Amino acid sequence: MQLDSLYQEVILDHYKNPQNKQLKSDNDAQVHHVNPSCGDEVTLGVKLVGNLIESINWEGVGCSISQASTSILSDLLIGKTLEEAALISENFLHLMQSKGAEEGDPEVLEDAVAFAGVSKYPARIKCALLGWMAFKDASVQARNVEAK
Ligand code: ZN
């Protein structure tokens, strides 16, 4: 219970003080993703330098889970390589599909382990994954731009 309320605090903190929440104009790719079941929206941009994620910036509206998750992923993935980011994203997806059975590895996911409890609520999993799906989409497009 204590852990749950601590996690709640992490999520609310990112919701109130979102990181990297301002779209930039020089992104390699920018995508808009919507979660119709909750009304969450995220527009997310990615800028690469070679294989390195130089910037993840975003705008969004919606529930605290969707907005905090996007804030946390931007914090977590900026400065990582695309391969590292893909591994972290897979790890988070796995956690979200665990139906509450897993706690998540804080060494890999850092603040994103705060969403472990969300995996018990199927209706909210899409909220937690919205930003991550947007990042996946944007990073694939950005890599294609960077490769030209
Ligand atoms: Zn939501």
Side-chain angles (χ1 to χ4, degrees), residues 35 38 40 62-63 65-66 124 127:
N35 171 22
C38 184
D40 308 317
C63 70
I65 292 175
S66 66
R124 309 311 302 276
C127 302

Side-chain angles (χ1 to χ4, degrees), residues 1-20:
M1 283 305 278
Q2 206 179 357
L3 206 62
D4 278 350
S5 62
L6 179 72
Y7 281 179
Q8 191 73 24
E9 218 167 281
V10 170
I11 292 171
L12 281 178
D13 194 45
H14 272 273
Y15 181 57
K16 287 178 191 159
N17 303 297
Q19 304 298 300
N20 309 298

